Amino acid sequence: ATWAATALPCGLLREDMRQVEAWLRRPDITLRGADALHLATAKRLGAPLLTLDAGMADAARALGVPLAA
């Protein structure tokens, strides 16, 4: 199955926004707001993140968000 076939709709929750705010305040991680939203949602859902952005992948590893193989 392709990634599109396994994609699930999900909404943002307040807990996601609190997580994003905390991550964006961390001086040890370079992260854009939109990327932080994707990471927070993936972490909450326990879903592996698929990205071609090396910086986002580095942030995901540092924050404990699993990456798709």
Side-chain angles (χ1 to χ4, degrees), residues 12-26:
L12 292 174
L13 303 179
R14 283 192 175 101
E15 68 185 78
D16 299 329
M17 297 307 292
R18 284 191 291 272
Q19 184 66 80
V20 166
E21 182 179 3
W23 285 345
L24 291 176
R25 292 179 184 274
R26 287 184 55 169

Side-chain angles (χ1 to χ4, degrees), residues 23-58:
W23 285 345
L24 291 176
R25 292 179 184 274
R26 287 184 55 169
D28 59 320
I29 296 175
T30 302
L31 195 56
R32 294 177 292 224
D35 290 347
L37 285 170
H38 286 97
L39 290 171
T41 304
K43 185 165 186 167
R44 174 175 49 86
L45 296 174
L49 180 77
L50 178 62
T51 183
L52 297 175
D53 183 324
M56 189 174 179
D58 289 342

